[in-house]
Every structure is written in structure tokens, then in C-alpha cells.
Amino acid sequence: MQRTFVMVKPDGVQRGLVGKIINTFEQKGYKIAGLKLMQITRDLAENHYGEHRGKPFFEALVGYITSGPVVAMVLEGKDAVSAARNIMGATNPVQAAPGTVRGDYGIDIGRNVVHGSDSPESAEREINLFFSPEEIIEWQRTVDPWIYE
Ligand code: IDP
Ligand code: MG
């Protein structure tokens, strides 16, 4: 089992898409291990998006992600990192396949509705950045034998 970090960005929250987006991951079979509404500080934004520092869109990206509350979550399950990326779709929503979150709900790359970790290493880093250990719940889900062989 693997964990990944997923976030509904401020545009997704403002547009009332939180429930739909969480449901997309939930109905696939991923288990919620952590979930909260939060306001990202500038410090956290710059840290989270550290790999993009110096790029032309960095300032706009930090402005975007701090512009309103986000919904941060930890999702757990088999191949959670790559599966969540597939469910989200391509970074540029215009290129994202229909049926993906970005493909169904976005147009601009700077308003692409969701974030998801891009590797198991990023997932660990981002989970630790956004969640304290007590905020992550280990629980038994009784339907698991109907989701996993
Ligand atoms: P990802 O979110 O699919 O992992 P990254 O390349 O890590 O994509 O970029 C992080 C975020 O920065 C994107 O989700 C998007 O919001 C924003 N971004 C990436 N490239 C551009 C760009 O060329 N213009 C504006 N925003 C961008
Ligand atoms: Mg990324």
C-alpha cells in the first residue's frame, strides 16, 4: 500500500467542486487517511513548490495557491501516487483527457483545480509538510476485500 498527497486547489474550493473531487478518488477505491480545509501560508507555498522556484510562473503559482482555502488530503491504496495522477489528468487541463478531474473541470494551466504528488518521494515530503502524524488515521476499511483481491 502506498500513500499520496492530493489537494483541491483554491479554484476547486471556490467553484464548489470539493465533494465531486473527493468522490472521484473515493469511488475508485482509494482510502482517505487524512483530510482538512486549510489556508496555505506563503512560506508553505514556497516550500511545497520549491522545485519551481525561479520559473516564470512561480510568483503567480504561489499567489494562486495562497488565494483561498484548499482541501488537503492523504489517500492510501495500491499504486496511489500514479493512480491519483492518472485520475487528475495532464497538468494543462486543455490537454487532460475527458473523465479526468482536470479534463472535466478546467481550462487554464494556472487554474488546474487539483494537485497530486508526482512520486513516492514527493508524496512523503508533501504529506509531512501538510500533515502532522496525529492527523493521519490508520483505520481498517471493511470493504477492502471487495476492492483488493
Ligand atoms: P503538476 O501539478 O501536474 O505536478 P507541475 O509541473 O509540478 O505540474 O507544476 C505545478 C503547478 O504549477 C501546476 O499544477 C500548475 O498549477 C502550475 N504551472 C505549471 N506550469 C505552468 C505554466 O507554464 N504556467 C502557469 N502555471 C503553471
Ligand atoms: Mg508537480
Side-chain angles (χ1 to χ4, degrees):
M1 290 296 155
Q2 194 176 60
R3 280 179 177 166
T4 191
F5 174 70
V6 166
M7 171 166 75
V8 183
K9 293 179 174 182
D11 47 341
V13 176
Q14 292 283 357
R15 292 172 58 195
L17 298 173
V18 170
K20 280 191 167 119
I21 292 169
I22 292 175
N23 184 245
T24 306
F25 295 100
E26 227 181 358
Q27 73 188 1
K28 171 79 172 166
Y30 286 98
K31 186 171 88 174
I32 300 169
L35 181 66
K36 62 180 170 182
L37 180 78
M38 61 182 287
Q39 173 66 50
I40 299 185
T41 62
R42 191 176 174 93
D43 259 15
L44 177 56
E46 289 185 354
N47 192 345
H48 172 62
Y49 281 128
E51 64 172 310
H52 298 301
R53 194 186 290 276
K55 292 183 187 170
F57 60 84
F58 183 71
E59 276 308 314
L61 176 58
V62 169
Y64 163 44
I65 214 67
T66 59
S67 64
V70 301
V71 171
M73 66 195 104
V74 178
L75 298 176
E76 201 176 279
K78 193 175 180 181
D79 295 321
V81 171
S82 65
R85 295 281 293 188
N86 287 338
I87 291 165
M88 284 164 38
T91 303
N92 187 342
V94 160
Q95 272 136 33
T100 64
V101 175
R102 287 162 169 174
D104 284 354
Y105 298 124
I107 297 174
D108 253 1
I109 193 167
R111 295 289 183 271
N112 62 359
V113 189
V114 274
H115 167 84
S117 308
D118 64 6
S119 67
E121 295 71 32
S122 309
E124 201 186 333
R125 188 182 90 84
E126 292 170 0
I127 288 168
N128 290 328
L129 211 48
F130 282 84
F131 285 86
S132 63
E134 320 84 71
E135 290 175 320
I136 298 170
I137 312 297
E138 277 187 39
W139 58 289
Q140 295 302 314
R141 197 176 50 176
T142 55
V143 298
D144 274 359
W146 302 104
I147 293 168
Y148 296 107
E149 191 178 14

